[in-house]
Amino acid sequence: MKCMRIVISVILLFAIKPAYAAADADTDTLSVLSRVEGADMTLYSLYRDYRFSDKDKAMEYAELFLSRVDSLSLEPCLAPLYTEVSDWYEMERCRFSVAIRYMEKALEIYHAASDGYHEALTEYGLAKLYLKKGPIPQDVEICQQGRFVF
């Protein structure tokens, strides 16, 4: 009987721990973003609230949030948001120039953070955007840079 209690306790411990870890990661992201110059956490909260229920509204709040953030900020927590807004402009709005602008900012952040993996993925995404926008010499150069990582 005592052995069964120990087994159940261990199972519950491992079942509950990931929920705490996710909450801690969420709290860490919020605390890091709140320290970024110009970050309006109300807009970020609205973005998070609508992220899965109303993607268009969520992206509008994300874009407002990013427009108020210090443009020189290279906080790594911002890069996925820049990438998500870029993807939305590419897929939902077909506005490739705007998508490129957001993707280039994400690339700048990943480069500053020395995150080679995400930098390569972002370069690949940029190359696709450049090709969709029209043939320019940049797309060949970026494709060659990303090729070496993969």
Side-chain angles (χ1 to χ4, degrees):
M1 190 60 151
K2 188 174 183 178
C3 183
M4 188 62 112
R5 280 189 192 165
I6 292 173
V7 170
I8 291 173
S9 298
V10 169
I11 291 172
L12 287 175
L13 176 68
F14 286 113
I16 294 172
K17 187 171 178 157
Y20 286 129
D24 288 344
D26 224 14
T27 304
D28 290 345
T29 302
L30 290 174
S31 65
V32 168
L33 286 177
S34 66
R35 290 191 301 261
V36 173
E37 184 74 28
D40 184 346
M41 296 313 291
T42 304
L43 289 172
Y44 187 76
S45 295
L46 288 168
Y47 151 73
R48 287 173 30 132
D49 291 345
Y50 288 106
R51 186 171 180 203
F52 297 109
S53 62
D54 187 352
K55 189 71 165 182
D56 290 337
K57 191 178 276 192
M59 290 300 104
E60 288 175 18
Y61 287 126
E63 189 173 20
L64 279 171
F65 173 78
L66 291 173
S67 71
R68 294 183 181 186
V69 168
D70 181 14
S71 61
L72 298 177
S73 177
L74 297 176
E75 176 56 52
C77 288
L78 291 171
L81 191 56
Y82 277 108
T83 303
E84 187 175 0
V85 173
S86 173
D87 291 344
W88 179 71
Y89 269 111
E90 175 189 3
M91 301 298 183
E92 302 296 324
R93 298 288 183 244
C94 295
R95 294 183 57 196
F96 303 122
S97 297
V98 178
I100 287 171
R101 189 177 76 229
Y102 281 107
M103 190 73 77
E104 285 175 341
K105 182 61 179 180
L107 179 62
E108 181 184 353
I109 292 170
Y110 287 133
H111 183 72
S114 299
D115 185 347
Y117 177 75
H118 286 103
E119 192 175 348
L121 287 176
T122 306
E123 285 176 344
Y124 175 71
L126 264 174
K128 289 191 322 183
L129 285 170
Y130 287 141
L131 286 171
K132 284 181 180 180
K133 187 177 176 197
I136 56 174
Q138 285 177 319
D139 56 358
V140 175
E141 180 184 334
I142 294 236
C143 284
Q144 289 175 345
Q145 290 173 357
R147 172 185 67 165
F148 294 114
V149 175
F150 293 111

